[in-house]
């Protein structure tokens, strides 16, 4: 990663956070506030009427244009220049893809954008291709079928099964299949291409892991959560755990894929085998939970991308965390 005129620590900085109407963007903002960094937060989101604007110092709604258009690119270029933005923290996967695929359009600006390695970003978009890459590398890969019928899936993978969209993140669109009726129902409902996976492990053996990478095959020691998911597919409950097998797996994966910046690994354990469900080469929905336990990826990003310094390994607190709903009322 090229560093140009790093900012001096202590200077008040202007940071854009995207997806402030969603859990990820709000978690990034909360992490920034927890860090104590002198920061002006500019929020960007599609919905101007959501709660997102209330978390920010200023808010900018995305224009109602195609995000592949020149008008959309111009919106971002103007915003970053006009507001003298120091750093962009993309919260939404679509925003990560937009900035990554348009790196050249922002290369001459003073603004730094928190982006992972472009190869890792693109590989993470396709679960089928990602599984094939894990197999090629000799890493544990969940057995799967693409374009196969029910009988072939049962014969090759057993029961129960999982239907997963080939693209997308989190648990959206995933369904457990216990019989052929489930298969027929969910395959008809799926709007996108899907794959069928063997069901491995159990809901009690699912883990989400954060490890800030440096692009050279090294990363900070990870923070490991045993988690339970909400119906929306986000982490609802998290417990900090010491898990040497997963820590070793993340170290190995970082050495292979060389991610840079905030990187989220999702695993299921099946016995002593760690199966990687996916890599999210960006901030994840667990960002604020990790920050609450001392692993503040937003602050790390400021230190690394803006000040040009490798953040030190944090002291991780032990404990458990829950997410719950509360009201926010403006009169």
């Amino acid at each position: 990663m090229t560093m140009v005129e790093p900012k001096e620590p202590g200077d008040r900085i202007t940071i854009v956070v995207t997806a402030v109407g969603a859990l990820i963007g709000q978690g990034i903002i909360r992490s920034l506030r927890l860090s104590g960094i002198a920061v002006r937060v500019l929020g960007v989101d599609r919905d101007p009427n959501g709660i997102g604007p209330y978390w920010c110092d200023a808010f900018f709604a995305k224009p109602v244009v195609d995000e592949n258009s020149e008008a959309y690119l111009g919106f971002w270029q103007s915003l970053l220049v006009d507001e003298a933005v120091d750093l962009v923290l993309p919260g939404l996967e679509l925003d990560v893809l937009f900035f990554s695929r348009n790196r050249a359009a922002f290369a001459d600006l003073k603004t730094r954008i928190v982006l992972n390695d472009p190869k890792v970003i693109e590989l993470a978009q396709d679960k089928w291709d990602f599984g094939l890459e894990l197999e090629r590398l000799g890493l544990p890969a969940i057995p799967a079928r693409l374009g196969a019928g029910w009988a072939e899936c049962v014969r090759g993978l057993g029961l129960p099964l999982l239907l997963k969209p080939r693209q997308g993140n989190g648990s959206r669109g995933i369904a457990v299949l216990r019989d052929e009726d489930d298969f027929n129902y969910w395959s008809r409902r799926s709007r996108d291409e899907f794959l069928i996976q063997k069901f491995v492990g159990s809901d009690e053996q699912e883990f989400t892991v954060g490890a800030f990478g440096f692009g050279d095959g090294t990363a900070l020691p990870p923070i490991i959560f045993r988690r339970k998911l909400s119906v929306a597919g986000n982490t609802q409950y998290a417990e900090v755990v010491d898990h040497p097998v997963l820590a070793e797996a993340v170290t190995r994966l970082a050495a292979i894929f060389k991610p840079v910046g905030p990187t989220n690994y999702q695993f299921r354990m099946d016995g002593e085998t760690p199966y990687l469900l996916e890599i999210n080469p960006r901030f994840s929905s667990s960002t604020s939970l990790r920050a609450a336990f001392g692993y503040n990826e937003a602050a790390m990003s400021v230190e690394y991308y803006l000040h040009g310094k490798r953040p030190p390994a944090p002291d991780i607190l032990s404990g458990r965390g829950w997410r719950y709903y509360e009201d926010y009322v403006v009169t």
Side-chain angles (χ1 to χ4, degrees):
M1 183 180 65
T2 302
M3 294 290 181
V4 182
E5 299 178 359
K7 294 277 289 189
E8 289 298 321
D11 292 347
R12 187 168 188 262
I13 58 178
T14 297
I15 295 181
V16 163
V17 178
T18 79
V20 297
L23 188 61
I24 294 178
Q26 293 161 19
I28 294 172
I29 295 174
R30 178 171 298 207
S31 300
L32 288 171
R33 303 301 191 198
L34 281 173
S35 72
I37 297 170
V39 59
R40 175 177 174 244
V41 176
L42 309 184
V44 175
D45 197 83
R46 179 69 68 186
D47 182 10
N49 298 313
I51 196 172
Y54 294 97
W55 305 131
C56 312
D57 298 305
F59 176 80
F60 299 85
K62 288 184 177 181
V64 185
V65 296
D66 190 308
E67 294 196 7
N68 293 316
S69 68
E70 287 296 321
Y72 185 71
L73 180 62
F75 159 78
W76 275 107
Q77 291 172 322
S78 297
L79 175 62
L80 301 186
V81 172
D82 294 347
E83 297 295 328
V85 174
D86 296 299
L87 191 67
V88 177
L89 305 184
L92 194 66
E93 182 182 30
L94 289 176
D95 295 333
V96 171
L97 285 172
F98 167 77
F99 283 113
S100 183
R101 292 171 180 176
N102 289 281
R103 291 175 192 247
F106 300 101
D108 294 333
L109 302 185
K110 292 184 179 180
T111 305
R112 286 83 184 256
I113 303 172
V114 175
L115 289 172
N116 217 302
D117 181 89
K119 293 180 181 178
V120 178
I121 291 173
E122 295 298 333
L123 181 61
Q125 295 309 300
D126 191 305
K127 290 182 174 66
W128 177 255
D129 289 345
F130 185 67
L132 293 179
E133 181 66 7
L134 292 178
E135 289 182 356
R136 188 188 71 81
L137 293 168
L139 299 171
I142 301 175
R145 297 289 187 273
L146 183 67
W150 172 251
E152 180 183 343
C153 290
V154 173
R155 186 166 54 249
L157 306 175
L159 286 173
L161 298 168
L162 284 180
L163 180 148
K164 287 186 177 182
R166 182 169 176 173
Q167 297 187 328
N169 59 81
S171 297
R172 288 180 292 276
I174 295 179
V176 179
L177 310 179
R178 303 187 185 281
D179 54 38
E180 190 170 6
D181 288 339
D182 285 344
F183 177 84
N184 292 333
Y185 175 78
W186 289 108
S187 60
R188 283 195 302 267
R189 281 181 60 90
S190 182
R191 297 178 180 179
D192 304 308
E193 187 176 15
F194 61 85
L195 55 92
I196 304 296
Q197 278 186 344
K198 179 179 180 179
F199 190 99
V200 300
S202 67
D203 292 345
E204 288 69 39
Q205 290 298 311
E206 182 155 321
F207 300 83
T208 181
V209 183
F212 194 97
F214 298 115
D216 59 359
T218 66
L220 290 179
I223 179 171
I224 304 173
F225 286 153
R226 178 185 287 112
R227 71 170 184 180
K228 290 186 178 179
L229 294 173
S230 70
V231 294
N234 300 312
T235 299
Q236 186 172 36
Y237 164 81
E239 177 184 2
V240 178
V241 296
D242 181 29
H243 201 303
V245 172
L246 289 180
E248 181 181 353
V250 169
T251 298
R252 184 180 181 189
L253 289 165
I256 292 171
F257 291 110
K258 297 179 173 58
V260 56
T263 308
N264 170 242
Y265 305 81
Q266 296 180 13
F267 291 94
R268 272 206 173 197
M269 292 294 300
D270 189 14
E272 291 300 308
T273 301
Y275 283 100
L276 181 63
L277 302 177
E278 60 184 52
I279 291 180
N280 292 315
R282 54 173 174 78
F283 293 99
S284 78
S285 65
S286 302
T287 292
S288 59
L289 282 170
R290 284 195 282 274
F293 288 103
Y295 207 96
N296 194 322
E297 295 158 300
M300 294 173 186
S301 295
V302 172
E303 188 80 356
Y304 184 67
Y305 288 83
L306 200 56
H307 300 320
K309 299 179 180 180
R310 289 170 69 114
D315 294 323
I316 300 172
L317 304 173
S318 60
R320 296 176 290 172
W322 293 263
R323 284 209 173 97
Y324 62 94
Y325 293 105
E326 63 176 321
D327 299 324
Y328 187 93
V329 179
V330 177
T331 60

